[in-house]
Amino acid sequence: MKKSITLLMLASLFNIMLYSCKTTESVDQKVDALLSKLTLEEKISLIHGNTYFTTPAIPRLGIPALHLSDGPCGVREENAPYSWESANWTNDATAYFPALTALASTWDTELATEFGNAYGEEAVARGKDIMLAPGMNIHRTPLNGRNWEYMSEDPFLTSRMAVNYIKAAQSKGIAMCAKHYALNNQEFERGTINVEVSERALREIYLPAFEASVKEAEVLSVMGAYNKVRGNYACQNPYLLQKILKEEWGFRGLVMSDWGAVHNTFEAAYNGLDLEMLPMQGTKNTYYMGQPLLDSIKAGKIDPKVVDDKVRRILYVMEMLNIMGKAEPDTTGMAAKLGTSEHAKTALKIAEESIILLKNNQSLPLNLKSIKTLAVIGDNATRKHAHGGGSTVIKAKYEITPLEGLQTKIGNSVKISYAQGYAVSNDLKAIDKSLIAEAVKTAAAADAVILFGGLNHEPGLDCEGTDKPDMKLPYGQNELIKAVLKANPNTVIVMIAGSPVEMGSWIQDAKGLLYTSYIGMETGTALAEVLTGDINPSGKLTYTIPYKLEDSPSYVLGEYPGKNGTVKYNDDIWVGYRYFDTKNVKPMFPFGFGLSYTTFAYDNYKIDIAKKNETLYCVVSFDVKNTGQVEGKEIAEVYVSELKSALPRPLKELKGFAKVSLKAGESKKLEVILDKRAFQYYDPDKKQWILEPGKFEILVGGSSDNILLKEQIEL
Ligand code: BGC
């Protein structure tokens, strides 16, 4: 078995090498030929945008315009050429896919592929060439306003989901864009904040998803971040862009700036940026890599050769996309190809599998035999989230709210009443007592209650451009939840949020708790299916939920949001569960946690070590059995722990996982392969990944704090 896995890997590696050698050679020749025909002025025109989301074409050479668009949840509503306003198209309503936090909480890499395929098809239908996704920054603080757009506090989980999503989307003929490179882990002062981070944390926590996207998914573009890293703006940062991305990882695609993230012509020219997108001033000539660059070259201050590498990379991407000579996108008949029923099915599948059951005191699934009246409470029961959050603005073909989902599913047999419970307001601390009183009345009159609370995409919550002020629920929701729980203890809470919120003041009284990110156009359908038991919840947390902000590592060990323009990541590699587990701090819900309507048992643990030349593989196998009464899916998590090492290491680190579907009573054998990197750490003195000979423990379980199988190996 060991042998066949290794041979299979070598064979596919050989195929990939053969394919890329052939392609790269012919692509390079074509690119060089084109490059030699371009004037300096034309070259300069290619390395910056000409509208907010396009680059200019050079028709005499068949060089097309590049059409870019956001973002992670689907293709953004069409933008006006010279402002952030909508272009007001009537045919650009698209699929609204679940946010990447939700995708990651499925822990299903095949779903990441399905997401990428559907997403890629929508982008092609909209005539886009480069899609500005996925966002892969690490959840460092619970307060980051963009956590919901990213995937996890864990670099391995983020990498696995990102690689499949990118590969699938790019297979449809578009380029994806890994963003925001790097260390854009907060929105507070995002345009100026300087991040000081250790080399080890950079390599082990903040870069792996980018590295995997480049090396494994061959992502065709990367977007630099707004912030500074060790004193240099990320988009002009020679260490990040030239040294690591291009030299070490061999990135061949183009590096674009985040919108308006360039600050200096000389540094942008020399330090690895290839394409400058939109300065906030908004007109063409203010691009640092526009007229000022041309002037500097003409004055002999900048070597014209630096432009060649940038143009070469842009042309390389165009050749890889096969778009040379392509005319402007034809939007006739476009609407029918967007938000199709197939894509909606994909959105639904991801939504269903992403919902996380955090507490269940026999309240779920809803007992529809005894529930004749159901009170649905909370603004999030009727709120649509597609059209918010910043650059991820989706004009959704439709979005089914939780209330609509329940009405469709059980509205014929159950009398559903609704109360808003809290009002969305600019003042996050505002409490509307009359809405609470009305909700209490509605709750008391019903057999059961479902309260949909949490966050939304208003500024100061899960929204680009601002961070959350704290981890507290806004708009008096704690008061509402407590009052409703008192009025009717038969209450299930559904938290819709893309980041952690404090729940300590009422959690002990809640009978059931579901946690879910923004899960797209089929939100209501998926939630109704899970609440009624048609779908057994199988999502697991991709980030730790601490009891309170003060427990989180960026608060205890590090700094947030920084002082005098600099934020020191003294929390180092101790991000998320790496901190909570190692330092023995109990969170409210641990990383990787999620319940099911059934139960699972793990058994028959076996570890095989395979080594071929210098390449080490470890095959971990075990059985997972569904020991409950209903069909369900389990995510088995594999963690590696080094028992003794020269540098301090986390108690355990996620290095593998597998999701399996099991009928009641069914058992299946799962296999997870750990590669060499799974055992290594980054040694900043030696400037390399180190595998220390010695003892390791390989731990398998249902969450980071629920290890069910454990065995030692020696390497
Ligand atoms: C965001 C990017 C986005 C870009 C274009 C920026 O403000 O940070 O994520 O892709 O705008 O909309």
Side-chain angles (χ1 to χ4, degrees):
M1 216 275 311
K2 259 184 278 169
K3 206 164 144 199
S4 64
I5 288 178
T6 318
L7 285 177
L8 208 73
M9 282 179 161
L10 288 175
S12 63
L13 194 72
F14 184 66
N15 271 343
I16 292 167
M17 278 165 55
L18 207 70
Y19 169 78
S20 33
C21 289
K22 252 206 287 180
T23 334
T24 311
E25 202 182 306
S26 50
V27 166
D28 286 346
Q29 281 164 358
K30 287 185 194 161
V31 165
D32 283 341
L34 263 179
L35 195 62
S36 65
K37 294 184 189 134
L38 286 163
T39 66
L40 178 62
E41 282 74 8
E42 284 171 330
K43 288 178 191 171
I44 299 241
S45 77
L46 286 175
I47 64 172
H48 56 79
N50 66 333
T51 75
Y52 272 38
F53 284 95
T54 58
T55 61
I58 303 186
R60 76 173 183 94
L61 294 172
I63 297 175
L66 282 172
H67 297 79
L68 286 60
S69 181
D70 287 299
C73 298
V75 191
R76 181 180 177 158
E77 171 177 19
E78 195 63 23
N79 205 86
Y82 300 109
S83 81
W84 285 116
E85 300 304 312
S86 161
N88 292 320
W89 285 13
T90 50
N91 56 352
D92 59 343
T94 54
Y96 165 35
F97 296 105
L100 292 183
T101 339
L103 174 66
S105 69
T106 69
W107 294 63
D108 186 335
T109 50
E110 281 171 25
L111 274 183
T113 299
E114 205 175 315
F115 190 145
N117 282 333
Y119 180 92
E121 283 164 11
E122 296 261 327
V124 169
R126 278 278 300 275
K128 301 302 174 194
D129 305 301
I130 304 186
M131 290 303 298
L132 309 174
M136 53 184 73
N137 296 95
I138 292 294
H139 294 200
R140 172 179 177 255
T141 162
L143 303 187
N144 180 12
R146 291 187 93 174
N147 275 349
W148 65 280
E149 280 189 61
Y150 308 142
M151 290 179 247
S152 171
E153 68 186 23
D154 182 76
F156 181 79
L157 178 59
T158 305
S159 305
R160 291 307 96 211
M161 303 310 278
V163 163
N164 278 27
Y165 172 92
I166 292 168
K167 270 190 185 166
Q170 289 199 163
S171 76
K172 300 291 171 187
I174 52 159
M176 296 301 285
C177 181
K179 72 185 188 185
H180 309 89
Y181 185 73
L183 297 141
N184 182 185
N185 308 102
Q186 64 186 53
E187 290 298 278
F188 179 79
E189 293 182 352
R190 69 172 179 177
T192 52
I193 195 88
N194 174 37
V195 178
E196 291 294 341
V197 65
S198 78
E199 192 60 19
R200 190 168 169 214
L202 180 69
R203 301 290 185 148
E204 290 187 21
I205 307 290
Y206 297 103
L207 294 191
F210 290 100
E211 185 178 359
S213 302
V214 170
K215 291 184 178 170
E216 294 179 54
E218 297 184 25
V219 70
L220 285 167
S221 70
V222 168
M223 185 191 294
Y226 278 123
N227 47 283
K228 291 180 194 152
V229 176
R230 298 178 184 157
N232 286 336
Y233 278 105
C235 289
Q236 308 165 176
N237 194 304
Y239 186 60
L240 286 179
L241 302 180
Q242 292 286 26
K243 171 82 181 51
I244 299 182
L245 180 66
K246 293 184 174 174
E247 285 166 33
E248 275 184 41
W249 299 345
F251 177 63
R252 299 221 46 201
L254 70 89
V255 177
M256 72 178 76
S257 70
D258 201 339
W259 271 230
V262 182
H263 300 269
N264 179 291
T265 297
F266 188 87
E267 290 183 30
Y270 276 106
N271 294 349
L273 185 78
D274 303 312
L275 174 62
E276 181 187 2
M277 291 308 294
L278 186 79
M280 289 308 166
Q281 301 91 312
T283 64
K284 285 189 229 171
N285 288 339
T286 57
Y287 281 95
Y288 290 93
M289 296 219 297
Q291 193 63 40
L293 177 56
L294 187 61
D295 293 345
S296 299
I297 291 175
K298 286 192 172 157
K301 293 182 192 151
I302 290 180
D303 185 345
K305 282 205 192 95
V306 294
V307 178
D308 285 357
D309 180 53
K310 302 177 196 308
V311 176
R312 190 175 272 119
R313 285 169 179 275
I314 292 165
L315 297 177
Y316 170 82
V317 171
M318 290 176 176
E319 285 291 355
M320 292 302 279
L321 296 181
N322 231 344
I323 55 171
M324 288 301 180
K326 191 177 131 185
E328 277 296 284
D330 178 6
T331 52
T332 337
M334 179 175 83
K337 297 183 202 147
L338 300 170
T340 60
S341 58
E342 280 309 305
H343 296 167
K345 261 190 224 154
T346 299
L348 176 60
K349 245 201 239 175
I350 297 163
E352 289 168 345
E353 297 225 7
S354 71
I355 296 168
I356 308 166
L357 178 62
L358 290 181
K359 182 171 179 189
N360 193 11
N361 213 346
Q362 288 173 355
S363 56
L364 289 172
L366 297 174
N367 183 350
L368 294 174
K369 285 198 188 107
S370 62
I371 299 173
K372 295 293 161 232
T373 53
L374 177 71
V376 171
I377 291 170
D379 181 79
N380 263 345
T382 54
R383 180 162 292 266
K384 297 187 179 185
H385 296 283
H387 207 257
S391 50
T392 308
V393 174
I394 301 289
K395 192 193 281 178
K397 201 136 201 180
Y398 62 85
E399 178 179 350
I400 299 172
T401 65
L403 181 59
E404 287 164 353
L406 280 167
Q407 272 158 344
T408 307
K409 182 104 201 137
I410 55 172
N412 282 343
S413 53
V414 176
K415 188 167 171 288
I416 300 176
S417 48
Y418 172 70
Q420 192 187 351
Y422 62 91
V424 170
S425 125
N426 289 338
D427 176 5
L428 300 179
K429 292 195 177 0
I431 302 182
D432 189 324
K433 291 203 169 130
S434 63
L435 286 182
I436 296 182
E438 186 201 0
V440 162
K441 218 166 134 197
T442 312
D447 296 330
V449 183
I450 306 177
L451 192 154
F452 293 90
L455 308 176
N456 56 39
H457 293 322
E458 292 298 307
L461 299 176
D462 283 334
C463 181
E464 179 178 342
T466 52
D467 284 342
K468 295 190 293 178
D470 48 43
M471 246 181 69
K472 299 197 189 315
L473 280 168
Y475 322 125
Q477 284 184 71
N478 282 329
E479 287 73 8
L480 168 74
I481 295 173
K482 283 190 260 184
V484 167
L485 284 170
K486 210 161 145 204
N488 190 336
N490 196 15
T491 294
V492 168
I493 311 289
V494 181
M495 278 290 133
I496 297 181
S499 53
V501 294
E502 258 182 41
M503 298 178 285
S505 63
W506 46 261
I507 188 74
Q508 68 286 353
D509 299 322
K511 278 198 153 182
L513 171 65
L514 288 172
Y515 212 89
T516 166
S517 184
Y518 306 95
I519 54 175
M521 62 204 294
E522 292 283 351
T523 294
T525 319
L527 279 166
E529 286 169 342
V530 166
L531 287 163
T532 55
D534 278 4
I535 292 286
N536 190 346
S538 65
K540 289 195 178 180
L541 284 173
T542 67
Y543 49 82
T544 310
I545 302 188
Y547 280 101
K548 50 187 190 317
L549 179 67
E550 293 75 12
D551 292 343
S552 58
S554 53
Y555 191 96
V556 179
L557 305 174
E559 266 184 9
Y560 169 83
K563 288 185 207 100
N564 304 323
T566 287
V567 56
K568 291 186 184 148
Y569 284 17
N570 294 337
D571 39 332
D572 203 54
I573 56 164
W574 311 105
V575 173
Y577 69 92
R578 284 168 168 76
Y579 166 77
F580 286 92
D581 278 6
T582 315
K583 311 288 176 193
N584 215 357
V585 179
K586 188 113 188 83
M588 173 169 268
F589 293 107
F591 172 79
F593 179 75
L595 299 166
S596 163
Y597 296 152
T598 186
T599 46
F600 301 98
Y602 289 59
D603 202 1
N604 286 334
Y605 195 27
K606 197 160 162 270
I607 300 172
D608 283 319
I609 301 168
K611 198 171 174 193
K612 177 105 184 168
N613 302 328
E614 274 316 289
T615 316
L616 174 98
Y617 300 104
C618 191
V619 184
V620 178
S621 64
F622 49 90
D623 293 346
V624 179
K625 184 173 183 186
N626 181 342
T627 48
Q629 305 302 315
V630 290
E631 186 171 352
K633 289 186 178 173
E634 170 66 334
I635 296 157
E637 301 163 31
V638 180
Y639 294 86
V640 172
S641 167
E642 182 167 7
L643 297 187
K644 212 169 141 211
S645 64
L647 293 185
R649 296 196 71 176
L651 193 61
K652 58 173 108 63
E653 293 178 273
L654 183 79
K655 297 296 172 182
F657 58 89
K659 189 165 190 176
V660 62
S661 175
L662 296 165
K663 300 213 167 61
E666 192 184 8
S667 172
K668 277 186 193 159
K669 179 177 163 150
L670 297 187
E671 240 180 40
V672 172
I673 296 179
L674 303 177
D675 62 7
K676 192 169 166 188
R677 183 60 82 81
F679 301 94
Q680 293 177 310
Y681 65 81
Y682 190 84
D683 186 329
D685 292 334
K686 298 195 176 107
K687 296 193 172 29
Q688 56 180 320
W689 290 90
I690 296 289
L691 175 59
E692 278 179 330
K695 289 186 180 143
F696 291 83
E697 228 168 22
I698 302 182
L699 315 160
V700 180
S703 77
S704 62
D705 83 343
N706 182 23
I707 298 305
L708 301 163
L709 304 170
K710 200 191 241 202
E711 205 174 292
Q712 256 187 36
I713 56 163
E714 190 149 358
L715 295 177

